[in-house]
Amino acid sequence: MATKCVLISMGSTLKSNISVGAPLDMVIYEKDALKASKLVTLLDEENPYFAMIHRLWGEKLREAFNSIAEPSWSGANKSAAISMPAKKMGGVPINRPPVAKQANRR
């Protein structure tokens, strides 16, 4: 399971961070072992498992994104209301005209 998590994370990093690129090297340490038991070098989009992870993760992420309701600005949908005041801070006015500053006169 850890290998799958690492590959999903690295696939996302490759997509979102231009300074990170393939190929990747991966070393696996088994539980309670002090030496590497597996080594994968030059891991890139040509690797069947990595390509499958990359494709499925993108599909599942889009499905999850599309399943989440759009925010309700009017408050009509209470479970998706986004314009409600925060409990600690309260509402923040955004349409109030700025207060003119008085010039310092000496």
Side-chain angles (χ1 to χ4, degrees), residues 10-11 23 74-75:
M10 287 308 300
S74 68

Side-chain angles (χ1 to χ4, degrees), residues 10-11 19-20 24-25 34 40 45 50 56 70 77 79 83 93:
M10 287 308 300
S19 68
V20 178
L24 306 172
D25 295 330
L34 297 176
V40 179
E45 300 81 16
F50 190 62
L56 285 177
E70 292 294 325
N77 180 353
S79 66
S83 59

Side-chain angles (χ1 to χ4, degrees), residues 81-100:
I82 196 168
S83 59
M84 301 196 48
K87 290 180 182 177
K88 289 185 177 180
M89 187 173 162
V92 177
I94 58 173
N95 293 324
R96 189 179 294 170
V99 177

Side-chain angles (χ1 to χ4, degrees), residues 27-106:
V27 176
I28 306 294
Y29 289 84
E30 299 291 336
K31 182 178 178 180
D32 299 324
L34 297 176
K35 64 180 184 175
S37 61
K38 296 175 181 68
L39 170 67
V40 179
T41 59
L42 303 176
L43 183 63
D44 62 13
E45 300 81 16
E46 301 296 319
N47 179 286
Y49 187 77
F50 190 62
M52 180 267 303
I53 287 275
H54 182 74
R55 179 180 50 78
L56 285 177
W57 184 250
E59 289 174 12
K60 299 300 181 186
L61 195 55
R62 276 186 291 281
E63 286 176 21
F65 178 85
N66 290 332
S67 72
I68 297 171
E70 292 294 325
S72 171
W73 291 97
S74 68
N77 180 353
K78 293 290 184 198
S79 66
I82 196 168
S83 59
M84 301 196 48
K87 290 180 182 177
K88 289 185 177 180
M89 187 173 162
V92 177
I94 58 173
N95 293 324
R96 189 179 294 170
V99 177
K101 292 183 180 179
Q102 294 181 354
N104 290 335
R105 296 181 187 183
R106 291 184 187 204

